[in-house]
């Protein structure tokens, strides 16, 4: 449990460190990616991917208790994170965002397009994070963040 706790602390620390606002240029077109993010949420995987892709982006840090606003429900109808605005469109669901950005921005480095022989394996590993990796994070969250201190592991 100590390893998971340490991993959770490192992820929280990295999440709070990485906030830049910049622009993306593709030829003549000027675009900006905006990530709507809450600390210690699944939006971390999109934040990580934006950095892995070497992109410049804007992060709007949202409070968990303040997501259900008229403006934000236009971006995500269920008022959850993550969501992004990119190319004038809003998109939500972390795995869909990751797959889309990899295919749009890095089709030869991080993505495997439909005709690629490694497509099935790529999809499997992209979605793996939703099963095993998130399971570990959920355990950490349940036992360290949510549970009363009398029920937390040491």
């Amino acid at each position: 449990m100590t390893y998971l706790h340490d991993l959770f602390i490192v992820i929280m620390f990295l999440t709070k460190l990485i906030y830049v606002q910049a622009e993306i240029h593709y030829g003549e077109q000027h675009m900006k990616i905006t990530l709507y993010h809450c600390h210690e949420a699944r939006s971390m995987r999109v934040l990580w991917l934006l950095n892995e892709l070497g992109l410049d982006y804007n992060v709007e840090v949202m409070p968990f208790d303040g997501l259900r606003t008229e403006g934000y429900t236009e971006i995500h109808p269920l008022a959850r994170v993550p969501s992004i605005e990119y190319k004038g469109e809003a998109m939500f669901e972390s795995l869909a965002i990751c797959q889309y950005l990899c295919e749009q921005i890095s089709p030869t480095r991080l993505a495997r397009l439909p005709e690629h022989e490694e497509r099935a394996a790529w999809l499997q590993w992209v979605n793996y994070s939703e099963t095993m990796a998130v399971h570990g994070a959920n355990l950490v969250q349940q036992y360290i963040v949510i549970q009363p201190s009398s029920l937390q592991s040491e």
Side-chain angles (χ1 to χ4, degrees), residues 22 25 37 41 61 65 78 83 96 112 123 126 135 147 149 152:
H25 297 275
H37 169 70
V61 178
D65 59 352
L78 299 176
S83 62
R112 299 297 182 262
L123 286 172
V126 166
H135 177 70
Q147 296 274 353
S149 59
Q152 293 178 3

Side-chain angles (χ1 to χ4, degrees), residues 42 45-46 48 94-96 98-99 122-138:
R42 288 184 177 167
R45 67 171 58 125
V46 179
W48 187 344
S94 63
L95 292 177
C98 289
Q99 183 176 340
W122 181 74
L123 286 172
Q124 173 181 302
W125 287 105
V126 166
N127 288 277
Y128 180 76
S129 65
E130 192 55 37
T131 55
M132 296 307 293
V134 170
H135 177 70
N138 285 342

Side-chain angles (χ1 to χ4, degrees), residues 15-143:
T15 302
K16 293 175 183 173
L17 274 182
I18 307 170
Y19 296 107
V20 284
Q21 179 175 348
E23 301 170 359
I24 300 172
H25 297 275
Y26 290 99
E28 298 296 314
Q29 206 171 16
H30 167 77
M31 290 171 276
K32 184 183 279 189
I33 293 178
T34 299
L35 169 64
Y36 295 88
H37 169 70
C38 285
H39 296 299
E40 301 149 18
R42 288 184 177 167
S43 54
M44 177 61 195
R45 67 171 58 125
V46 179
L47 183 60
W48 187 344
L49 177 65
L50 291 171
N51 284 281
E52 194 67 33
L53 290 169
L55 299 176
D56 296 321
Y57 52 86
N58 180 34
V59 176
E60 293 291 332
V61 178
M62 310 287 288
F64 273 118
D65 59 352
L67 291 171
R68 193 163 295 285
T69 64
E70 185 176 327
Y72 189 63
T73 54
E74 292 173 14
I75 296 166
H76 192 311
L78 299 176
R80 297 188 179 184
V81 292
S83 62
I84 64 168
E85 288 184 300
Y86 178 58
K87 294 184 177 181
E89 298 288 326
M91 184 175 201
F92 53 90
E93 289 302 319
S94 63
L95 292 177
I97 293 169
C98 289
Q99 183 176 340
Y100 176 77
L101 291 177
C102 283
E103 290 174 349
Q104 292 293 307
I105 295 168
S106 182
T108 57
R109 185 169 72 92
L110 289 180
R112 299 297 182 262
L113 297 178
E115 63 277 359
H116 197 285
E117 64 186 39
E118 296 174 345
R119 174 71 172 190
W122 181 74
L123 286 172
Q124 173 181 302
W125 287 105
V126 166
N127 288 277
Y128 180 76
S129 65
E130 192 55 37
T131 55
M132 296 307 293
V134 170
H135 177 70
N138 285 342
L139 287 174
V140 170
Q141 184 178 25
Q142 178 182 358
Y143 288 103

